[in-house]
């Protein structure tokens, strides 16, 4: 848990990563599908789009929006192998281990849970 917290805190220091937030549509999607389904989607996206040694369209395989997990991947620097290498020292050119995949999914879901519970009006009293 300490590693997750440390990673989430480090991501907040990046102006690019910190600008990502779940939209109301993303939160509504989570409400409709439920968190267990979102978790399975995260596992599937990581396994198919990130885990291979040479993912198809690497660097462009993760849309910026359209699913809560996609947003989380960009917010957490888990969107492509280049970002994984830069942020987490996971080298390109080799498949992710099951343990690495699980760690990425745990990070994505921790971010999603924080965002899902975030009240934007509490952060900006002028709203």
């Amino acid at each position: 848990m300490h590693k997750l917290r440390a990673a989430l805190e480090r991501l907040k220091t990046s102006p690019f990563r910190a600008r990502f937030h779940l939209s109301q549509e993303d939160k509504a999607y989570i409400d409709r599908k439920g968190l267990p389904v979102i978790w399975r989607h995260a596992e599937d996206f990581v396994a198919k789009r990130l885990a291979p040694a040479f993912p198809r369209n690497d660097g462009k395989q993760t849309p910026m929006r359209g699913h809560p997990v996609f947003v989380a991947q960009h917010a957490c620097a888990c969107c492509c192998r280049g970002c994984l290498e830069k942020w987490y020292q996971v080298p390109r050119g080799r498949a992710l281990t099951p343990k690495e995949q699980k760690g990425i999914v745990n990070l994505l879901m921790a971010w999603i849970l924080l965002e899902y519970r975030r009240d934007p009006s509490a952060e900006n009293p002028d709203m």
Side-chain angles (χ1 to χ4, degrees):
M1 190 60 137
H2 174 69
K3 282 185 179 184
L4 283 177
R5 245 182 266 137
L8 291 169
E9 287 302 315
R10 183 170 170 239
L11 290 161
K12 288 180 187 176
T13 67
S14 165
F16 177 75
R17 302 294 166 192
R19 75 181 177 123
F20 289 95
H21 297 287
L22 291 179
S23 68
Q24 285 309 115
E25 293 84 13
D26 292 327
K27 291 179 180 183
Y29 184 82
I30 294 168
D31 288 339
R32 282 193 312 276
K33 297 293 184 177
L35 286 168
V37 170
I38 303 303
W39 196 288
R40 287 193 300 277
H41 290 173
E43 290 172 331
D44 187 56
F45 293 155
V46 168
K48 290 180 179 168
R49 296 169 176 242
L50 202 58
F54 300 98
R56 187 169 172 260
N57 297 322
D58 193 28
K60 297 180 180 105
Q61 75 265 44
T62 306
M64 296 294 261
R65 64 182 79 79
H67 194 286
V69 174
F70 296 155
V71 179
Q73 284 183 270
H74 288 289
C76 295
C78 298
C79 44
C80 68
R81 294 305 295 264
C83 289
L84 281 180
E85 186 172 63
K86 177 181 175 182
W87 279 80
Y88 306 104
Q89 295 72 52
V90 176
R92 297 183 211 193
R94 71 154 175 83
L96 297 177
T97 67
K99 183 178 179 179
E100 288 169 330
Q101 290 181 57
K102 183 178 179 180
I104 291 167
V105 170
N106 287 344
L107 176 61
L108 297 174
M109 292 307 298
W111 183 89
I112 286 172
L113 282 171
L114 286 172
E115 276 293 305
Y116 182 73
R117 295 177 180 146
R118 184 177 73 90
D119 179 3
S121 64
E123 294 171 16
N124 186 354
D126 298 332
M127 289 182 80

